[in-house]
Amino acid sequence: MNVIKSSSFALAWHALIFVVLFGISTSLHFFQAVWTRTWYLLFTVFLCGVGEIMGWAGRTASADNPRLETPFLIQISVLIFSPCFLIAAIYVELGRLVQHFGPGFSRLPSRWYAIIFCTCDVVAIVIQAAGGGIASSADDSAAGADQQQTGSDIMLGGIVFQLVTVVLFSFLLAEFVIRVRMNIPARRISSDERSSATLDRGETRKYRLLLGMMSGVLVLIFIRSVYRVAELAQGWEGHLITTERYFDWLDGAMILLSMMLVNALHPSFLQLEPVPLTGNVELGTGTGGGPGIPEGKLSGSATSSV
């Protein structure tokens, strides 16, 4: 009995620490979004934080009594899909980068990144939430065990779908960055679609920090998704799902670090505005003076390689 109490006490404190840290980061995200009028972050990163707070509060409440239905339902359902809101913000940011450098370096028009990948996010949320609801509402009977496994399988499908989506998006982001760096357009576009954007030294620093933030979040989400796939694949009696430290470090810590990274490198402070091209200049395929423009055409007093 003492071992059980000690274990429950430690579990409750672990969860409570995450509630406090997520609360701090989420509150800061709210004020950052309102202060800088980056409203889309309220519907992405901020919602992720709210979900994480709810989920970890549920784990805190169920630490002493895992059979409490409502806290268990909250933690199983909410913690599985909340990161989908966070990754949606990264999808939007790539669209904004495409607007800055011009669509010639991108496989997709800028608006389609949000449309396609956020739609995939919604699908992943629905699948994972449905699976979590089914699994958490199962009872202790034989039929309940089957129901729990069914819910677990549905959640696993949603996580795998999210993981595939993140990997596909990461490839598109990497290709875009390489094409901008090497000045190699992905397709030919009309003159009214082009941008004459180049980066001065200050903008180059912003661009690199923004890419660092986006890449960091993608890597952390990828690690978390791989862990959740392995966890759910093992089942409810598996080593991963029954060992608390794995969940703390490979789920909670990954999402917390992602949110804090966006706090520190907030998109509103690193935003690059689109710069329209004046004149009918053909988009080259060689190495010019800057991304998407002929050699010698510079915007600003000083330019820097990206």
Side-chain angles (χ1 to χ4, degrees):
M1 183 65 69
N2 291 334
V3 174
I4 294 175
K5 288 184 177 179
S6 177
S7 176
S8 299
F9 181 79
L11 177 61
W13 272 104
H14 291 173
L16 185 58
I17 288 172
F18 276 108
V19 171
V20 172
L21 293 178
F22 273 115
I24 294 172
S25 178
T26 303
S27 299
L28 183 56
H29 273 297
F30 177 81
F31 288 112
Q32 286 177 313
V34 172
W35 181 263
T36 61
R37 297 180 182 273
T38 47
W39 306 117
Y40 75 97
L41 293 176
L42 290 178
F43 300 98
T44 53
V45 183
F46 176 71
L47 281 184
C48 173
V50 171
E52 292 291 327
I53 294 171
M54 292 174 59
W56 284 98
R59 289 181 74 85
T60 303
S62 61
D64 288 326
N65 187 359
R67 295 183 181 276
L68 289 176
E69 182 176 353
T70 300
F72 183 74
L73 175 63
I74 291 174
Q75 66 157 315
I76 290 297
S77 302
V78 177
L79 289 181
I80 196 73
F81 66 75
S82 288
C84 293
F85 293 107
L86 173 61
I87 199 66
I90 307 302
Y91 299 153
V92 174
E93 285 305 314
L94 178 53
R96 292 190 168 205
L97 284 178
V98 172
Q99 288 179 352
H100 180 81
F101 289 107
F105 297 101
S106 172
R107 293 285 178 186
L108 300 172
S110 59
R111 66 182 181 277
W112 281 100
Y113 285 102
I115 293 174
I116 293 175
F117 288 101
C118 287
T119 299
C120 291
D121 241 16
V122 172
V123 172
I125 289 172
V126 171
I127 294 174
Q128 293 173 60
I134 292 172
S136 60
S137 61
D139 55 31
D140 293 332
S141 66
D146 291 338
Q147 177 182 333
Q148 190 177 57
Q149 186 58 49
T150 299
S152 178
D153 292 340
I154 294 174
M155 286 192 294
L156 177 60
I159 286 286
V160 170
F161 180 77
Q162 180 189 11
L163 181 59
V164 171
T165 302
V166 169
V167 170
L168 176 60
F169 175 82
S170 298
F171 277 118
L172 291 174
L173 173 61
E175 182 193 31
F176 174 79
V177 171
I178 292 171
R179 287 187 179 278
V180 168
R181 172 65 179 171
M182 304 301 294
N183 195 19
I184 305 175
R187 56 193 174 91
R188 300 184 72 84
I189 57 175
S190 60
S191 59
D192 59 350
E193 289 183 297
R194 301 181 190 124
S195 170
S196 63
T198 57
L199 303 180
D200 61 26
R201 289 185 179 90
E203 288 178 322
T204 297
R205 183 174 181 272
K206 287 183 178 181
Y207 174 67
R208 290 173 175 169
L209 289 174
L210 183 61
L211 285 183
M213 182 272 288
M214 294 171 65
S215 301
V217 171
L218 287 172
V219 169
L220 292 168
I221 292 290
F222 179 82
I223 293 171
R224 180 260 181 188
S225 298
V226 170
Y227 159 72
R228 293 309 295 259
V229 168
E231 176 197 53
L232 292 173
Q234 286 186 358
W236 293 93
E237 302 298 328
H239 177 65
L240 290 176
I241 205 169
T242 57
T243 307
E244 176 66 21
R245 65 177 179 273
Y246 294 134
F247 189 85
D248 290 346
W249 288 106
L250 297 177
D251 188 289
M254 294 299 103
I255 305 305
L256 180 61
L257 288 174
S258 297
M259 291 195 59
M260 289 182 169
L261 184 59
V262 181
N263 281 133
L265 301 176
H266 200 263
S268 63
F269 305 130
L270 304 176
Q271 195 58 59
L272 304 175
E273 296 299 331
V275 182
L277 177 64
T278 56
N280 187 14
V281 179
E282 188 67 28
L283 188 65
T285 58
T287 56
I293 61 173
E295 186 172 5
K297 184 176 179 61
L298 306 178
S299 61
S301 60
T303 61
S304 177
S305 171
V306 296

